[in-house]
Amino acid sequence: MIYCVEDDEAAGNLEAYALETSGYGVELFADGRSFFQALGTQRPELVLLDIMLPGDDGITILRKLKSDPASADIPVIMTTAKGTEFDKVRGLDLGADDYLVKPFGMMEMVSRVRAVLRRTSAKAAEAPVLSAEGVSVNRTEHTVTVDGEKIDLTLKEYGLLELFMEYPGRVFDRETLLARVWNSEYTGDTRTVDVHIGTLRTKLGQYGSMIQTIRGLGYKLEADAS
Protein backbone atom coordinates (compact mmCIF):
# COMPACT_ATOMS: atom_id res chain seq x y z
CA MET A 1 0.00 0.00 0.00
CA ILE A 2 1.29 3.45 -0.97
CA TYR A 3 -0.04 6.60 0.69
CA CYS A 4 -0.15 9.75 -1.47
CA VAL A 5 -0.51 13.00 0.47
CA GLU A 6 -1.52 15.56 -2.17
CA ASP A 7 -4.06 18.37 -1.87
CA ASP A 8 -4.38 18.85 -5.65
CA GLU A 9 -7.14 16.36 -6.48
CA ALA A 10 -6.27 16.11 -10.17
CA ALA A 11 -2.57 15.51 -9.46
CA GLY A 12 -3.38 12.98 -6.74
CA ASN A 13 -5.75 11.05 -8.99
CA LEU A 14 -3.14 10.93 -11.74
CA GLU A 15 -0.48 9.64 -9.33
CA ALA A 16 -2.89 7.04 -7.97
CA TYR A 17 -3.87 5.87 -11.46
CA ALA A 18 -0.22 5.45 -12.52
CA LEU A 19 0.64 3.51 -9.37
CA GLU A 20 -2.46 1.32 -9.47
CA THR A 21 -1.80 0.52 -13.13
CA SER A 22 1.67 -0.60 -12.04
CA GLY A 23 0.21 -2.98 -9.48
CA TYR A 24 0.31 -0.94 -6.27
CA GLY A 25 -2.53 -0.29 -3.84
CA VAL A 26 -2.99 3.44 -3.23
CA GLU A 27 -4.73 5.66 -0.68
CA LEU A 28 -5.07 9.41 -1.27
CA PHE A 29 -5.02 12.08 1.45
CA ALA A 30 -5.52 15.81 1.07
CA ASP A 31 -3.88 16.81 4.37
CA GLY A 32 -1.74 15.60 7.23
CA ARG A 33 -4.63 15.06 9.63
CA SER A 34 -6.37 12.43 7.49
CA PHE A 35 -3.01 10.87 6.65
CA PHE A 36 -2.04 10.34 10.29
CA GLN A 37 -5.50 8.98 11.10
CA ALA A 38 -5.01 6.29 8.44
CA LEU A 39 -1.44 5.67 9.56
CA GLY A 40 -2.80 4.62 12.93
CA THR A 41 -4.69 1.71 11.37
CA GLN A 42 -2.52 0.65 8.41
CA ARG A 43 1.19 1.03 7.75
CA PRO A 44 2.08 1.89 4.13
CA GLU A 45 5.05 0.54 2.19
CA LEU A 46 5.92 4.06 1.04
CA VAL A 47 4.63 7.64 1.28
CA LEU A 48 4.49 10.14 -1.58
CA LEU A 49 4.42 13.44 0.28
CA ASP A 50 3.78 16.88 -1.18
CA ILE A 51 5.45 19.81 0.57
CA MET A 52 2.75 22.43 -0.06
CA LEU A 53 -0.27 21.25 1.95
CA PRO A 54 -3.04 22.88 3.98
CA GLY A 55 -2.42 22.77 7.73
CA ASP A 56 0.86 20.97 8.44
CA ASP A 57 3.11 21.20 5.41
CA GLY A 58 5.08 18.25 4.06
CA ILE A 59 8.23 19.12 5.96
CA THR A 60 6.33 19.14 9.26
CA ILE A 61 4.68 15.82 8.41
CA LEU A 62 8.05 14.31 7.45
CA ARG A 63 9.57 15.49 10.72
CA LYS A 64 6.74 13.84 12.68
CA LEU A 65 7.12 10.59 10.74
CA LYS A 66 10.86 10.36 11.29
CA SER A 67 10.72 11.30 14.97
CA ASP A 68 8.36 8.43 15.78
CA PRO A 69 10.13 5.03 16.03
CA ALA A 70 6.97 3.32 14.77
CA SER A 71 7.11 5.17 11.45
CA ALA A 72 10.74 6.32 11.14
CA ASP A 73 11.67 3.56 8.68
CA ILE A 74 8.76 4.14 6.29
CA PRO A 75 10.32 5.35 3.00
CA VAL A 76 9.21 8.80 1.83
CA ILE A 77 9.44 10.47 -1.57
CA MET A 78 8.85 14.23 -1.44
CA THR A 79 6.91 15.88 -4.27
CA THR A 80 6.70 19.63 -4.76
CA ALA A 81 6.52 22.40 -7.30
CA LYS A 82 9.44 24.03 -5.53
CA GLY A 83 12.81 23.11 -6.97
CA THR A 84 15.18 25.13 -4.83
CA GLU A 85 18.20 23.52 -3.23
CA PHE A 86 16.96 24.68 0.18
CA ASP A 87 13.78 22.61 -0.10
CA LYS A 88 15.73 19.57 -1.23
CA VAL A 89 18.24 19.86 1.59
CA ARG A 90 15.52 20.25 4.22
CA GLY A 91 13.65 17.17 3.06
CA LEU A 92 16.70 14.99 2.55
CA ASP A 93 18.30 16.02 5.84
CA LEU A 94 15.09 15.03 7.64
CA GLY A 95 15.22 11.56 6.10
CA ALA A 96 13.34 11.68 2.79
CA ASP A 97 14.48 8.89 0.47
CA ASP A 98 13.97 10.73 -2.80
CA TYR A 99 12.67 13.97 -4.27
CA LEU A 100 10.47 14.69 -7.31
CA VAL A 101 10.03 18.22 -8.66
CA LYS A 102 6.73 18.97 -10.37
CA PRO A 103 5.83 18.61 -13.14
CA PHE A 104 7.22 15.08 -13.31
CA GLY A 105 6.34 12.18 -15.59
CA MET A 106 4.25 9.36 -14.19
CA MET A 107 6.68 6.73 -15.49
CA GLU A 108 9.52 8.54 -13.73
CA MET A 109 7.49 8.56 -10.52
CA VAL A 110 6.75 4.84 -10.74
CA SER A 111 10.43 4.14 -11.47
CA ARG A 112 11.49 6.15 -8.41
CA VAL A 113 8.96 4.33 -6.24
CA ARG A 114 10.25 0.96 -7.39
CA ALA A 115 13.86 1.99 -6.80
CA VAL A 116 13.19 3.21 -3.26
CA LEU A 117 11.21 0.07 -2.40
CA ARG A 118 14.04 -2.11 -3.71
CA ARG A 119 16.57 -0.24 -1.58
CA THR A 120 14.50 -0.39 1.57
CA SER A 121 13.62 -4.08 1.08
CA ALA A 122 17.28 -4.96 0.68
CA LYS A 123 18.20 -2.93 3.75
CA ALA A 124 15.58 -4.72 5.86
CA ALA A 125 17.30 -8.02 5.10
CA GLU A 126 20.70 -6.83 6.29
CA ALA A 127 22.41 -7.76 9.56
CA PRO A 128 20.42 -6.07 12.35
CA VAL A 129 23.43 -4.98 14.44
CA LEU A 130 26.79 -3.56 13.39
CA SER A 131 29.59 -3.17 15.95
CA ALA A 132 33.07 -1.66 16.02
CA GLU A 133 35.00 -1.33 19.26
CA GLY A 134 32.57 0.31 21.72
CA VAL A 135 30.09 1.50 19.09
CA SER A 136 26.98 -0.46 18.05
CA VAL A 137 24.38 0.37 15.41
CA ASN A 138 21.04 -1.40 15.77
CA ARG A 139 19.40 -1.24 12.34
CA THR A 140 16.11 -2.69 13.55
CA GLU A 141 15.66 -0.06 16.26
CA HIS A 142 17.57 2.64 14.36
CA THR A 143 19.65 3.38 17.46
CA VAL A 144 23.33 3.85 18.26
CA THR A 145 25.10 3.08 21.52
CA VAL A 146 28.58 4.03 22.72
CA ASP A 147 29.90 1.79 25.50
CA GLY A 148 26.32 0.69 26.10
CA GLU A 149 24.91 4.22 26.36
CA LYS A 150 22.45 5.36 23.72
CA ILE A 151 23.41 8.53 21.84
CA ASP A 152 21.27 10.81 19.66
CA LEU A 153 22.30 11.21 16.04
CA THR A 154 20.62 13.08 13.23
CA LEU A 155 19.37 10.97 10.33
CA LYS A 156 22.38 11.90 8.20
CA GLU A 157 24.88 11.24 10.98
CA TYR A 158 23.24 7.85 11.49
CA GLY A 159 23.38 7.14 7.76
CA LEU A 160 27.07 7.98 7.60
CA LEU A 161 27.95 5.84 10.61
CA GLU A 162 25.91 2.90 9.35
CA LEU A 163 27.61 3.06 5.95
CA PHE A 164 31.10 3.29 7.43
CA MET A 165 30.47 0.39 9.80
CA GLU A 166 29.00 -1.75 7.05
CA TYR A 167 32.17 -1.31 4.99
CA PRO A 168 35.08 -0.92 7.46
CA GLY A 169 38.32 0.04 5.78
CA ARG A 170 36.66 1.21 2.56
CA VAL A 171 37.39 4.78 1.52
CA PHE A 172 34.35 6.84 0.50
CA ASP A 173 34.79 10.12 -1.36
CA ARG A 174 32.43 12.98 -0.58
CA GLU A 175 30.43 12.59 -3.77
CA THR A 176 29.74 8.94 -2.97
CA LEU A 177 28.69 9.79 0.57
CA LEU A 178 26.28 12.42 -0.77
CA ALA A 179 24.80 9.92 -3.20
CA ARG A 180 24.49 7.12 -0.63
CA VAL A 181 23.38 9.09 2.42
CA TRP A 182 21.85 12.30 1.10
CA ASN A 183 20.35 10.74 -2.04
CA SER A 184 21.67 11.00 -5.57
CA GLU A 185 19.39 13.95 -6.31
CA TYR A 186 21.29 16.23 -3.91
CA THR A 187 23.75 18.40 -5.84
CA GLY A 188 24.79 20.86 -3.13
CA ASP A 189 28.21 21.68 -1.73
CA THR A 190 30.14 18.58 -0.64
CA ARG A 191 31.33 20.51 2.43
CA THR A 192 28.08 19.49 4.12
CA VAL A 193 29.66 16.02 4.38
CA ASP A 194 32.63 17.44 6.30
CA VAL A 195 30.31 19.25 8.71
CA HIS A 196 28.31 16.09 9.44
CA ILE A 197 31.49 14.01 9.84
CA GLY A 198 32.73 16.53 12.40
CA THR A 199 29.56 16.41 14.50
CA LEU A 200 29.44 12.61 14.24
CA ARG A 201 33.01 12.29 15.52
CA THR A 202 32.18 14.55 18.44
CA LYS A 203 29.15 12.48 19.42
CA LEU A 204 31.16 9.24 19.24
CA GLY A 205 33.58 10.61 21.83
CA GLN A 206 36.78 8.58 22.12
CA TYR A 207 35.65 6.43 19.19
CA GLY A 208 35.32 9.37 16.83
CA SER A 209 38.89 8.77 15.70
CA MET A 210 37.71 5.55 14.04
CA ILE A 211 36.46 7.75 11.20
CA GLN A 212 39.67 8.72 9.47
CA THR A 213 40.25 11.45 6.91
CA ILE A 214 42.12 10.22 3.85
CA ARG A 215 43.65 13.35 2.42
CA GLY A 216 42.64 13.99 -1.18
CA LEU A 217 40.23 11.05 -1.19
CA GLY A 218 37.59 11.12 1.54
CA TYR A 219 36.85 9.14 4.70
CA LYS A 220 36.99 5.60 6.01
CA LEU A 221 36.37 3.75 9.27
CA GLU A 222 39.22 1.84 10.94
CA ALA A 223 38.11 0.05 14.08
CA ASP A 224 41.63 0.00 15.50
CA ALA A 225 42.21 3.74 15.09
CA SER A 226 43.65 5.35 18.21
Side-chain angles (χ1 to χ4, degrees), residues 25-64:
V26 181
E27 289 286 345
L28 286 172
F29 306 95
D31 54 39
R33 185 176 61 82
S34 58
F35 164 70
F36 280 110
Q37 286 177 344
L39 190 64
T41 60
Q42 183 176 9
R43 175 189 170 91
E45 297 175 79
L46 180 144
V47 177
L48 275 170
L49 178 60
D50 189 28
I51 285 186
M52 302 300 291
L53 293 168
D56 286 347
D57 64 13
I59 293 295
T60 301
I61 293 171
L62 178 64
R63 187 179 290 111
K64 290 180 180 178

Side-chain angles (χ1 to χ4, degrees), residues 163-172 210 212 214 219-224:
L163 184 61
F164 285 135
M165 292 183 68
E166 185 174 5
Y167 300 98
R170 174 175 169 180
V171 178
F172 291 93
M210 290 195 299
Q212 298 183 352
I214 308 302
Y219 299 96
K220 71 173 181 177
L221 183 140
E222 286 290 350
D224 60 352

Side-chain angles (χ1 to χ4, degrees), residues 121-202:
S121 295
K123 192 169 184 178
E126 295 168 344
V129 178
L130 299 170
S131 297
E133 296 192 13
V135 179
S136 291
V137 174
N138 188 313
R139 287 166 152 173
T140 303
E141 299 179 357
H142 210 266
T143 58
V144 175
T145 58
V146 173
D147 290 334
E149 296 292 327
K150 188 179 294 186
I151 63 171
D152 292 325
L153 300 182
T154 67
L155 286 165
K156 298 311 176 188
E157 290 166 354
Y158 176 92
L160 287 167
L161 180 61
E162 181 184 30
L163 184 61
F164 285 135
M165 292 183 68
E166 185 174 5
Y167 300 98
R170 174 175 169 180
V171 178
F172 291 93
D173 60 33
R174 292 166 178 81
E175 289 75 15
T176 299
L177 292 172
L178 280 174
R180 295 287 294 270
V181 178
W182 272 259
N183 183 284
S184 59
E185 293 301 300
Y186 178 65
T187 56
D189 195 328
T190 58
R191 285 178 296 181
T192 191
V193 173
D194 302 325
V195 172
H196 283 75
I197 292 289
T199 58
L200 175 59
R201 283 170 168 161
T202 298

